[in-house]
Amino acid sequence: MNQIIDISNWQLLLGLLFILLAQISSFVFHLGLNRDIAIGTIRTFAQLFLMGFVLTYILQSDHQLLVVGVFLVMVVSAIFIIKGRVAEKQVSYLFPTFLTMLVSYFATAMFVSGLIIGSSPWWEPRYFLPAGGMVIGNSMSALAISLERFFRDLRQQRDQIEMQLSLGAGYREASAEIFRTAVKAGMIPSINAMMGVGLVFIPGMMSGQILAGIDPMIAIRYQIVVMLMLVGATTLSSVTIMLLIRKRCFGSGEELLLTSS
Amino acid sequence: MLEPILEIQDLSFSYDGSSEKIFSHLNLKVTAGEFLLVKGPSGQGKSTLLRLICRLQQPCGGSIRYRGREITKIAPSELRSSISFVAQIPRMIDASVKDNLLLPFTFEANKAKSPPSDESLRLMLRDFYLESVALAQSAMKLSIGQMQRLAIMRAILLNPDILLLDEPTSALDPESAAMVFSLIERLNIDEGKTLITVTHSDYVPKKPLAAVYRLHERTLHKEQ
């Protein structure tokens, strides 16, 4: 049972038939996705092979700084992806977002790896990096949703906000509803995932462990920890970031700085 | 000479990224109980002037003093409870008329003020030509003219020292506009409210003491 079947290069290329199917569909139905599918496929191969080599090296070298360095690279990459998805020019949000992501995700990965799983040392790459990777990957999407929603609603509801400010509301009071809606929008996917897990889908990590021959009862324990960790990390990072960013959207007179242009 | 309740000195303003000044060296003194009407064509910055007074925008230079204090030294929410601004297009929250009227009392800065009873709200609705409006009905279903009067009433409930009205009749039909102007005059004459009203209409206030200013060439000129 513990013997894992390797996938040869030829077998891997056979997987490209799925991509061929997508390319044909895009061509026939004029979806305009041929270029994106091609680039996405090349990047999937390149990035994952690169990660495979890096992880093999890190797991063998067992060096703390290297593990932390890889974690840092993952957070920096996530920031660039968020930057691409949140088109905000008036308020500088990247630095506080980066700092919050770095601190909250590091703390979460450290807590899970060192305390819940109990690996020793806490940064043992086999546990710390997958935990960190999953936190970054999932929370990054949540943050992008929250930030994009927050900036959009502040602009769209400018008149409502100014009406409340004019009647003596503080900036926190005037933007309370928009704040709540934005944070909720980011959190809902990870909460929905908890509703559907094990019923609607088998999560990637658990599937991977089962494929690798791990007892399903151990795999589900890991998966439960991951689901809880994702909700916690998403909440912690999105609430912190939104609190920091909200302050930047208002000036010294608590006037809304975002304009519709 | 009475101490001014509001004093503007050398005020200048330009929009972000623009070198062209909307105002330059604008000066104004307002005494308590005064009724100021600021006129001028659209796009001259009349609304901006009101927004600068209540800090919804920041000037490039000069100073604005309220009761002798620089407004930048006053907490914004405290300032806006004393100098109330009613926007050109009235905004309501999606709730009842009563909830809209009591909205300001839910804010921290106004917690010390006691909200009016339903009975006094009904009496006020009548004074504001809104006798047909029920407290429980949805504010979103009111006409724009009714909303405008409700917005002024909501601002008045806080008992501000100064009321800033931005084009209060621009979106209204002549009949509703006449009601709003009559209301504004009564607030000044009967209750002694200090009013600064911006308008580009040809309205001439009944009260002979109302001071009319014209915003022209980046500064205010008093009309005789």
Side-chain angles (χ1 to χ4, degrees), chain B residues 138-159:
Chain B
S138 166
M140 305 308 270
K141 299 220 167 107
L142 300 177
S143 71
I144 188 91
Q146 288 174 316
M147 277 193 196
Q148 187 61 274
R149 277 169 274 153
L150 201 68
I152 297 172
M153 180 175 159
R154 181 170 58 188
I156 286 294
L157 284 173
L158 284 174
N159 197 23

Side-chain angles (χ1 to χ4, degrees), chain B residues 163-205:
Chain B
L163 192 60
L164 309 171
L165 299 170
D166 184 11
E167 303 270 12
T169 60
S170 66
L172 308 187
D173 58 84
E175 193 187 348
S176 298
M179 277 185 192
V180 168
F181 278 128
S182 150
L183 181 67
I184 293 169
E185 285 171 6
R186 273 178 28 218
L187 285 173
N188 178 244
I189 297 166
D190 300 346
E191 296 189 30
K193 286 276 169 233
T194 309
L195 298 173
I196 306 180
T197 304
V198 148
T199 181
H200 67 262
S201 80
D202 295 328
Y203 159 69
V204 179

Side-chain angles (χ1 to χ4, degrees), chain B residues 18 54 65 74 81 84 98-99 126 132 145 155 158-160 177:
Chain B
S18 165
C54 64
R65 287 173 173 273
I74 305 171
S81 295
S84 229
K98 182 182 169 183
D99 287 346
R126 200 189 59 198
S132 60
L158 284 174
N159 197 23

Side-chain angles (χ1 to χ4, degrees), chain B:
Chain B
M1 173 98 188
L2 281 171
E3 273 295 301
I5 191 169
L6 187 78
E7 187 171 11
I8 298 175
Q9 281 182 323
D10 273 337
L11 193 71
S12 62
F13 177 81
S14 61
Y15 287 107
D16 282 346
S18 165
S19 56
E20 194 189 342
K21 285 233 160 62
I22 304 289
F23 310 131
S24 185
H25 305 295
L26 186 144
N27 294 294
L28 182 68
K29 275 184 189 176
V30 184
T31 49
E34 215 176 343
F35 179 5
L36 259 75
L37 200 64
V38 180
K39 292 189 164 192
S42 298
Q44 298 283 305
K46 301 189 298 297
S47 303
T48 306
L49 177 64
L50 298 189
R51 293 168 62 83
L52 291 174
I53 294 172
C54 64
R55 296 191 75 190
L56 284 177
Q57 276 173 264
Q58 301 299 321
C60 303
S63 77
I64 303 176
R65 287 173 173 273
Y66 165 63
R67 292 191 178 278
R69 284 169 76 194
E70 189 69 44
I71 58 167
T72 50
K73 301 277 189 287
I74 305 171
S77 48
E78 188 193 324
L79 177 81
R80 293 180 192 129
S81 295
S82 307
I83 303 179
S84 229
F85 170 77
V86 179
Q88 186 173 0
I89 308 290
R91 297 287 169 191
M92 297 290 141
I93 54 167
D94 189 5
S96 68
V97 167
K98 182 182 169 183
D99 287 346
N100 269 279
L101 290 171
L102 297 185
L103 176 70
F105 297 93
T106 63
F107 302 140
E108 203 55 45
N110 303 321
K111 279 278 159 72
K113 298 181 179 180
S114 34
S117 66
D118 286 6
E119 192 46 41
S120 42
L121 286 179
R122 278 191 206 99
L123 287 171
M124 270 186 92
L125 281 172
R126 200 189 59 198
D127 289 346
F128 278 69
Y129 308 108
L130 292 166
E131 54 272 13
S132 60
V133 172
L135 288 175
Q137 81 180 77
S138 166
M140 305 308 270
K141 299 220 167 107
L142 300 177
S143 71
I144 188 91
Q146 288 174 316
M147 277 193 196
Q148 187 61 274
R149 277 169 274 153
L150 201 68
I152 297 172
M153 180 175 159
R154 181 170 58 188
I156 286 294
L157 284 173
L158 284 174
N159 197 23
D161 273 350
I162 304 174
L163 192 60
L164 309 171
L165 299 170
D166 184 11
E167 303 270 12
T169 60
S170 66
L172 308 187
D173 58 84
E175 193 187 348
S176 298
M179 277 185 192
V180 168
F181 278 128
S182 150
L183 181 67
I184 293 169
E185 285 171 6
R186 273 178 28 218
L187 285 173
N188 178 244
I189 297 166
D190 300 346
E191 296 189 30
K193 286 276 169 233
T194 309
L195 298 173
I196 306 180
T197 304
V198 148
T199 181
H200 67 262
S201 80
D202 295 328
Y203 159 69
V204 179
K206 281 184 195 140
K207 193 183 177 190
L209 290 176
V212 180
Y213 286 81
R214 191 162 289 275
L215 193 58
H216 180 60
E217 290 184 342
R218 295 189 289 279
T219 194
L220 280 174
H221 302 274
K222 192 169 184 179
E223 291 195 342
Q224 297 305 314

Side-chain angles (χ1 to χ4, degrees), chain A residues 15-51:
Chain A
L16 285 177
L17 283 176
F18 292 113
I19 297 301
L20 186 66
L21 183 73
Q23 289 285 32
I24 292 169
S25 300
S26 175
F27 183 75
V28 171
F29 296 107
H30 305 286
L31 303 179
L33 289 173
N34 293 85
R35 191 169 170 271
D36 286 347
I37 294 169
I39 292 173
T41 308
I42 293 166
R43 282 185 66 159
T44 300
F45 271 81
Q47 287 164 195
L48 287 179
F49 264 100
L50 182 69
M51 172 152 270

